[in-house]
Every structure is written in C-alpha cells, then in structure tokens.
Amino acid sequence: MITFLLLFLATVLPTTQAIQRPRSILVAGSLNADTFLPVARFPSPGENLTLLQNSEHLIDVPGGKGMNQAIAASKLCKRTGSGESIKASFLGQFGNDGAASILRSALIENGVDISLCGQSNHPSGRGYVMIVPQGEVSAVISGGSNQFGWDHYYDELSDQDIEDVIRPYSLVQLQCEIPHHVNLRLAGAAKRLGVTVMLDAGGEDRMMGRDILECCDYLVPNESELERLSSYFEGDDIVEEGIAEKMEKMQSLLGPDIDAGLVYQRVSLLQNNGANNVLVTLGARGSILFKKQRSTAADKTNIIYQSACCLPQGSSVIDETGAGDCYRAAFAVSLMEQCTGDVDVVDDDDTLRKCMKFASAAGAMAVTKKGAVPSIPSRDVVEELMVWNDKKSIELATETVPRGGMKRSDDDGMDDDFPFMFGSRLNSMKDRQDLLEPSDKMLSPRDFVRRQARIKGLGCVDFNYPQHFHDWTPNEARRALDEAGLVAGAVCLRYPSKFARGAMNHPDPTMRREAIEMTKDAAEVAQILGCDEVVVWSAYDGYDYPFQVNYKEKWSQLVSAFQECADAYPDIKWSLEYKPTDENTRFFTVASTGAAMLLVKEVDRPNFGLTLDMGHMLMSGENPGQSISMVGDKLFGIQLNDGYTRLAAEDGMMFGSIHPSMALEALYQLRVNNFRGHLYFDTFPQRTDPIREAEYNIQRVKDFWRAVGSMDPDEISRIAAEHDALGSLELINEALRQ
Ligand SMILES: *[C@@H]1O[C@H](CO)[C@@H](O)[C@H](O)[C@H]1NC(C)=O
Ligand SMILES: *[C@@H]1O[C@H](CO)[C@@H](O)[C@H](O)[C@H]1NC(C)=O
C-alpha cells in the first residue's frame, strides 16, 4: 500500500511543482497576407473595377488577429536595460504558398517564437481589403490554412498532447479567426492546467456557449461584439441592487454615445452564462473591466474603468486597424508582468487598472500609423506616452472611478444603494475618553484610527498634515488603516503655529517657501497612504485690520503657490477649503465660495478645485446648495456639519441638525453635480460619544439621501420655473417626512 502511494506521488509531483513556470504568452490564432485595394467605389454585381490611378496598393501585408497579437506581445515584452522579459510564442498554421514565407519572416523579425507553428497543405489565409476614398472599407477573407490547417485538432491530438503544448506557458491568448473547435480544445487544456486564458471576441461571428466561456479567465469584446455575444442568450433585466447608481457614475465617464446600463446588462448576461472577467473595449471611450467576483474587499466595486490614453502630442488618428489587437496583447503582457514569485492570478483592482492603462497606451499608439503590424509600437514608445499622459493628466477626475465615490460594502448590508464613502474628523476621537476602558488611552493618531474603526459605516480616514505625522510614518499609518479595514480619504494641511503670520501668504519669502514645500510634502504623504486628495485649509492666510496687507499681492501669492503644487503633483487633486473668518484670521484671503471660484479660474489647473465645508458656507452667509451648484465639477471635497451661524463660531454640529432643509438641498445638489468624492464629517462632538455621533451623522446623511431620491424631478422643475415658495416648502416637508 505504501509503495503504491509513493509511486502515485512520484507521478503526480512533477506536475504540481510546475507552478513556478516562467511567465510567457502563447498566442494561438490566424495569420493573413492582406492585399489592400484602393477603389473609387465598391463594385456592383457583374462589374469589374480597376484600382484607382496613382494610389498605393499593398500586397501581402502581414495581418490576421493571431499574428498581430503575437507580434504586439513580443514587441511590448521587450524591455530595454535590465530585467528579464516575458517571451511570446505563436501557434498558427502556415500556408503552402509564397505568402507563407513573408508571414514567417515578419514573425521572426519581431522576435516571436514560431516553433509551435504548423505547415498546412492549404494556401495562406488572405484578406482582400477594398478601400474607397471616403475611407470606408469592405473586405473578403479567404480562411485558407487558418480555417483548414487544424485538422489534427479534431482527431489526431489527444487532450494530453494539447496540454503538453500549453504547459510551458502562463497565458494563452485566443481570437475567433481559427475554428471554434480548436479554440475550445486549447482553452479547455489551459483551464485544466490553470493557465490564464484570454479570448478576444473579434473575428468570425459565432456563438459562444457556456463551454468556452467558462474556460476563459478574460473575455474581451468590443461594444458591438458584446452586443452580438449576449444576443445569443436570453436573460432578465438588471438584477443587482444599487447598480443603477453605480452605472450612473459610469455613464458620466463614458459620455452619451454609450449606454452604460446596457453594457452592464449584457456583461451580466454573459457572466450568468459562464463568462468570468469581461473586459469591454470602447475605443476612444476607454475600457471597462467587469470582474467576475462582485463582492470581495470593502470599497472595491469590481468594475474598473480606464479612460483611453491621449494620443502623443501632434499626432492624430490615422488608421484604427490593429489597435484592438495591440490593446489585447498589451493587457496580456502587463498581466503576466504582475505575476511574480508565486502570484499566478492577478486580482487586485489597482494592479488590473495598471494593466488596462498600459493596454490603453499601446492601443493609442497603434492608431497613429497605417496598417496593423507596422503600427505596433515598441515598449519604450508606450511607456513614454504613459509618462506624458500622467504629466498631462487632463482627465484627472475621470481617469478612474474614484474609490471614495463608490460604494463600500458594509457588514450590516443595509445600504446597498448608497454611493459614497464616509470619513469623520480624526481628532474627535480624543473626545469623551471617559467612555473608554482605562487601558484604552487616546494618545496618538494610531489610537484615533483604532477608535474610528469602531464607527459602523465609516470607510475612510482623512489625516492632518503635519499634525498627525509627528510620531509615526505614513507607511505605518497605511498599515494601521489596512489592519482596521479602512482607507485614506484625503490629507489636509494644518500649518503649525510658526506660520501665524501666514503660510503661503507669509511676508517672509523663506517662510512662504517653507509653507509651499510643506504643502507639497502632504502630496507625498497622500501617495504613500494611497489617496489622491490634498485639502489646503490655512488657518493663517489672511489679516485682521484694514491696511494690514496688500490684497493683490496676497492673492497672486496664492495663485502661484497653488499652480506650483498642482503642476508638481498632477495626479493629486488639490483643493482649497475656504473659510470666511475665525479667531486666528478675521479676514481670510479667500473668504467666500465666489472668491474661491475666482481663485480656481486664475489657478487654472485641471487638478485644482475646492472643498466646501457646510459650516464655513453658512458662516459666510451662503446657502450651501447654491454654493455647491456654483462650484460644479470643481467640487473635489465636501465637509458635512451644521451650525448656528453666529459670526466666527464654527459650531461643528451634527449634520442636518440646525438647517435640515439646507442640508437636504446640499445633498440634492451633490447628486445633480454628480459629486464623486467621499463625505467627511467635520464636527466637534466634544461632550458627546464621538462614535455614536459619527454613526448618527452617517444615518442622517443616508436618510436625507433617500429623501432626495424620493423627490419628484418634474415637481422640482415646476417649482423652479414658477419660483414657487410654498411649493418648495411643501416639497421639503414631504421629503423629510419619509
Ligand atoms: C471581369 O474580369 C474577369 C477576370 O479577368 C473576366 O473573366 C470577366 O469577363 C470580366 N468581366 C467583364 C464584364 O469585363
Ligand atoms: C469591434 O471590432 C470589430 C473587429 O474586430 C469591428 O469590425 C467593429 O467595428 C468593432 N466595433 C466597434 C463598436 O468598434
């Protein structure tokens, strides 16, 4: 018995040890010799056309999705300098004619390993592409060896044989230009071996059943392919709760041409029928990855959006052929590069987004040149474009679905449709220590974070800089957040008292410089903490008496300081939190929402905006809803609280406690504005249990949010059209009664 067991183990072990396989990509698919025929118009039946005079017609240009993707993978793998590159191999069937040698050379020249390729008794696959002067294209494809060269995959080869082919690889990439049966066998073998499978839905219009969908880790359709594939299945409408809200946000990222809800519905239909991760490419509108797992870690949405990469300066769209192939190959390469050590499956949202970003950049480069293979960029060029895009960062707010703006799944599971994450003032954790166990002292930010973690429904922590970083490092803070199951929301400037005469407005240039550098340091801290917001509230930038400062000079100091910060950290959302007055500074340089908007215009940077604080708005005599509306998409942050609005008294009362109707309208305006940040309670419980106080605030906001949702938009429009005072009060009463 024991001998038998040992023998058994001996035969099994070699395969189980193969986990540490070298990362390499196998692209299996088609290769074509394409002929491009420029014609004046498409021929009608029975008609013979000649090619356009003086036009460039190209014969035997290498193409075919398999070959394009193999060459793209190979070129994109190649790193200059140190670091081992991933290898790309191609499995295809060469034809028996002259074109085969052209295709073979193209693969070899681009570093693709072709040792697995076969040689069939059929002519090479060919594409005849007619192009009319308006740019429209019509093609005839002759499948040749792509279609008929795979006979051995029907009978001759056993499952074992196919597994032996695939075993050395860590990812298999397929498209739909070779027989479905071959794809199914390759995908099946890969699945059995635990090798990642990516299937490009492009190529032949064919139904994909559960059998193949289940084998693919990534199904990659474009919009029309998604529509086609899902049309083979019948299913219910949107099932998941709270998804409308999520897709509403997605919709604002995608623009009006694409129906985000429909995309979601189609993906769900495929996933209900066996598909795993579905990566939908949307050309210039970017791409969306719908992960199969819809509910893992807190704050993860499992829907990842990546905008399209901007084209390099001075270039434009020349030819979109092959851009999709490039995207797919680049995604595969990037995915395999993330598999290091014993990591075989990449699941982390940030890492996946990185892969999508790299893929977008590769796809963008591919549209700037004519042809499929000739337009495939090298890795260096793609990386250069990524750096340039990061610098440019024009789509800062739309690049990702911001973490803070999306749902965090709470253990109570009661707020499925609430779209924001909550944060609450960290320093309020020092209040009411009498409620704690004697051993449970609140001495350091670490203790505060630990206490905040007890707040039900809280998702993120906003830190003050440098105030909260005197006795631990940002890395330690991040670890503490991880342990507490929280994330960082923002880093907020708290200039120390040596800046009492001014921070960015200090009369001494050396001190001003120091304040600006300190402000930039906060961005470094934010990056380590994993958040992208820095909120600047300066207690000291302002004055107390007439003639005390030169207003124009103070103003322009702020403009240039914020420009410097925004340019130095283009990935950070910088926002000013204005305040009208307080005991440190009777008149702030920026003292109202209107003045703050003027500053935003003069700073004129896409990553500079405002954080509005309810109490500050009330204190400066504003109605918060109106101010939020005025700030529009420049609103990066919101701090919720309430107050009695006695001059210069920042009461920090609980949300909606004093001005419920204004609180209701503020949330309504956040909704109209499509606000995407997190909600932060800047309150001062002091004599109240700060845990219960935060939980009350959270509940209050959720109730008000629901009330906003219950309001009839037609009625709101009617009231506004008629300036109907009584109508507005009745609307508020009705909403708050719920
Ligand atoms: C068109 O060209 C084909 C191929 O040369 C030839 O067989 C056919 O007769 C031509 N038809 C006409 C209408 O000229
Ligand atoms: C999707 O890709 C196919 C080629 O694979 C192309 O013909 C089609 O136009 C694309 N659809 C969209 C919406 O771009």
Side-chain angles (χ1 to χ4, degrees):
M1 183 64 195
I2 287 173
T3 0
F4 174 76
L5 199 72
L6 282 178
L7 248 163
F8 174 75
L9 277 177
T11 51
V12 163
L13 273 177
T15 33
T16 47
Q17 275 174 344
I19 287 171
Q20 284 270 359
R21 62 178 78 86
R23 317 292 168 184
S24 51
I25 296 173
L26 176 64
V27 181
S30 62
L31 68 175
N32 279 339
D34 291 334
T35 298
F36 292 89
L37 304 169
V39 284
R41 58 193 157 75
F42 296 121
S44 42
E47 186 183 20
N48 284 358
L49 283 180
T50 49
L51 294 183
L52 274 177
Q53 295 290 313
N54 301 326
S55 59
E56 181 193 24
H57 69 283
L58 300 164
I59 295 177
D60 291 343
V61 178
K65 282 183 184 295
M67 172 149 175
N68 290 346
Q69 292 182 15
I71 291 178
S74 172
K75 285 184 79 170
L76 292 167
C77 284
K78 280 230 169 49
R79 294 164 175 283
T80 45
S82 63
E84 189 162 332
S85 295
I86 290 170
K87 298 256 182 311
S89 302
F90 180 58
L91 167 57
Q93 304 301 334
F94 288 112
N96 61 359
D97 49 16
S101 63
I102 296 172
L103 301 179
R104 187 178 277 114
S105 317
L107 285 160
I108 293 170
E109 270 166 31
N110 285 292
V112 180
D113 169 17
I114 56 166
S115 53
L116 288 174
C117 288
Q119 164 83 53
S120 96
N121 287 324
H122 298 271
S124 298
R126 285 182 179 276
Y128 301 93
V129 186
M130 281 174 278
I131 309 172
V132 296
Q134 298 77 33
E136 222 182 320
V137 166
S138 234
V140 177
I141 307 293
S142 161
S145 59
N146 296 319
Q147 193 177 350
F148 303 111
W150 300 87
D151 283 352
H152 47 310
Y153 275 75
Y154 288 82
D155 37 38
E156 207 174 301
L157 295 178
S158 68
D159 283 352
Q160 185 66 48
D161 294 336
I162 297 179
E163 284 171 23
D164 288 344
V165 169
I166 286 172
R167 187 165 289 113
Y169 297 93
S170 37
L171 183 143
V172 173
Q173 206 173 345
L174 304 167
Q175 318 79 30
C176 301
E177 292 185 339
I178 59 172
H180 180 67
H181 179 76
V182 178
N183 274 350
L184 191 56
R185 292 204 70 189
L186 290 167
K191 175 84 180 167
R192 289 193 295 279
L193 294 168
V195 169
T196 303
V197 179
M198 229 176 108
L199 173 62
D200 174 5
E204 194 183 79
D205 176 358
R206 55 173 73 145
M207 181 195 172
M208 298 214 208
R210 186 175 278 275
D211 51 356
I212 189 144
L213 293 180
E214 278 180 342
C215 292
C216 299
D217 299 279
Y218 291 90
L219 176 68
V220 195
N222 67 13
E223 196 193 1
S224 39
E225 289 152 2
L226 175 67
E227 179 180 0
R228 177 158 58 68
L229 289 181
S230 61
S231 71
Y232 293 117
F233 298 106
E234 275 178 36
D236 306 330
D237 284 358
I238 290 180
V239 277
E240 244 176 284
E241 209 158 300
I243 206 67
E245 197 74 50
K246 250 185 223 175
M247 295 320 287
E248 202 176 292
K249 286 175 175 301
M250 187 68 73
Q251 188 67 64
S252 67
L253 299 174
L254 293 177
D257 312 343
I258 291 165
D259 184 339
L262 203 54
V263 168
Y264 178 83
Q265 211 172 314
R266 287 172 175 157
V267 168
S268 298
L269 198 52
L270 291 176
Q271 288 180 328
N272 290 340
N273 284 284
N276 293 300
N277 303 308
V278 178
L279 175 54
V280 185
T281 57
L282 299 167
R285 309 300 329 178
S287 50
I288 314 176
L289 174 60
F290 295 82
K291 291 170 74 178
K292 174 73 165 187
Q293 289 305 326
R294 285 284 165 77
S295 57
T296 48
D299 88 291
K300 296 286 192 269
T301 66
N302 300 302
I303 302 177
I304 305 173
Y305 175 72
Q306 173 63 48
S307 64
C309 188
C310 294
L311 300 187
Q313 216 149 12
S315 57
S316 59
V317 178
I318 305 290
D319 173 17
E320 294 180 6
T321 324
D325 292 332
C326 229
Y327 179 101
R328 284 152 179 77
F331 184 80
V333 167
S334 191
L335 200 62
M336 285 306 101
E337 285 178 351
Q338 304 304 327
C339 294
T340 48
D342 53 7
V343 176
D344 267 344
V345 177
V346 177
D347 188 45
D348 172 64
D349 284 10
D350 289 339
T351 313
L352 287 167
R353 185 174 289 122
K354 256 188 226 157
C355 299
M356 292 165 75
K357 199 169 171 183
F358 182 69
S360 300
M365 282 311 308
V367 305
T368 61
K369 273 194 201 161
K370 218 171 160 159
V373 170
S375 72
I376 296 170
S378 71
R379 186 187 185 97
D380 289 351
V381 169
V382 174
E383 284 181 344
E384 217 171 276
L385 180 64
M386 285 173 79
V387 169
W388 183 74
N389 258 263
D390 281 347
K391 280 236 164 61
K392 198 159 162 249
S393 185
I394 53 161
E395 286 190 312
L396 187 100
T398 56
E399 183 179 22
T400 56
V401 175
R403 183 200 53 232
M406 298 300 267
K407 180 177 117 179
R408 166 185 160 88
S409 49
D410 287 321
D411 8 336
D412 59 10
M414 63 184 189
D415 56 347
D416 267 348
D417 59 351
F418 190 77
F420 300 107
M421 195 183 279
F422 287 109
S424 190
R425 194 171 137 264
L426 196 55
N427 284 343
S428 74
M429 294 301 111
K430 286 184 247 182
D431 296 333
R432 287 300 303 274
Q433 299 204 28
D434 57 301
L435 297 171
L436 301 169
E437 298 293 318
S439 60
D440 205 5
K441 280 273 168 286
M442 288 294 123
L443 299 174
S444 67
R446 186 190 296 278
D447 302 328
F448 309 160
V449 168
R450 221 164 4 87
R451 196 174 182 193
Q452 276 216 323
R454 297 178 203 159
I455 300 170
K456 227 166 163 220
L458 191 95
C460 60
V461 177
D462 287 15
F463 288 95
N464 291 346
Y465 182 82
Q467 190 189 44
H468 289 148
F469 292 91
H470 292 311
D471 45 28
W472 66 348
T473 66
N475 275 312
E476 286 172 316
R478 180 159 189 171
R479 273 197 295 280
L481 289 176
D482 287 346
E483 279 162 23
L486 298 167
V487 297
V491 175
C492 310
L493 265 297
R494 287 294 177 277
Y495 300 102
S497 59
K498 70 174 182 184
F499 291 105
R501 294 170 69 209
M504 290 166 158
N505 271 170
H506 201 284
D508 175 354
T510 331
M511 291 295 284
R512 270 207 308 280
R513 175 57 28 210
E514 194 179 330
I516 293 171
E517 294 306 326
M518 180 177 280
T519 310
K520 290 200 275 188
D521 289 345
E524 294 284 339
V525 171
Q527 286 177 339
I528 295 170
L529 292 172
C531 66
D532 64 358
E533 265 185 81
V534 173
V535 182
V536 180
W537 171 64
S538 166
Y540 308 119
D541 284 332
Y543 63 96
D544 299 323
Y545 296 99
F547 295 103
Q548 196 181 351
V549 301
N550 177 331
Y551 309 120
K552 281 193 168 27
E553 181 191 70
K554 293 301 119 183
W555 183 266
S556 62
Q557 281 169 355
L558 289 193
V559 171
S560 61
F562 280 120
Q563 285 175 334
E564 179 182 334
C565 292
D567 291 342
Y569 290 88
D571 283 345
I572 292 286
K573 278 187 269 181
W574 293 90
S575 64
L576 170 80
E577 180 190 351
Y578 87 83
K579 188 173 184 179
T581 174
D582 69 16
E583 64 276 23
N584 301 300
T585 306
R586 291 304 166 184
F587 290 92
F588 281 95
T589 309
V590 183
S592 67
T593 301
M597 275 312 279
L598 196 60
L599 187 81
V600 165
K601 286 212 161 27
E602 290 192 25
V603 171
D604 192 24
R605 294 293 185 272
N607 57 333
F608 180 71
L610 300 179
T611 288
L612 291 178
D613 178 296
M614 293 284 281
H616 298 182
M617 290 187 276
L618 291 168
M619 210 195 294
S620 65
E622 296 173 12
N623 169 22
Q626 183 185 5
S627 302
I628 291 169
S629 170
M630 186 190 338
V631 174
D633 61 4
K634 280 295 182 181
L635 187 68
F636 290 179
I638 185 87
Q639 308 207 339
L640 301 178
N641 53 37
D642 212 334
Y644 288 105
T645 66
R646 282 173 295 201
L647 200 59
E650 185 175 18
D651 299 333
M653 316 299 281
M654 288 178 235
F655 176 75
S657 56
I658 323 287
H659 299 93
S661 59
M662 286 177 164
L664 180 73
E665 199 197 21
L667 291 190
Y668 171 77
Q669 289 297 342
L670 289 181
R671 190 180 176 119
V672 171
N673 254 358
N674 202 6
F675 176 69
R676 297 202 191 90
H678 64 279
L679 305 182
Y680 173 83
F681 299 112
D682 192 5
T683 51
F684 296 78
Q686 281 157 325
R687 288 182 287 176
T688 311
D689 178 348
I691 303 291
R692 288 185 49 207
E693 190 255 5
E695 288 173 354
Y696 175 88
N697 279 325
I698 289 171
Q699 194 51 53
R700 190 95 171 133
V701 169
K702 284 182 179 172
D703 291 345
F704 275 49
W705 186 257
R706 203 172 314 118
V708 164
S710 76
M711 289 163 47
D712 175 8
D714 293 339
E715 179 62 3
I716 296 175
S717 313
R718 186 201 60 76
I719 291 168
E722 296 170 20
H723 295 195
D724 181 355
L726 284 171
S728 70
L729 293 181
E730 281 160 10
L731 179 86
I732 292 163
N733 292 344
E734 179 60 31
L736 293 183
R737 225 195 324 267
Q738 312 239 346

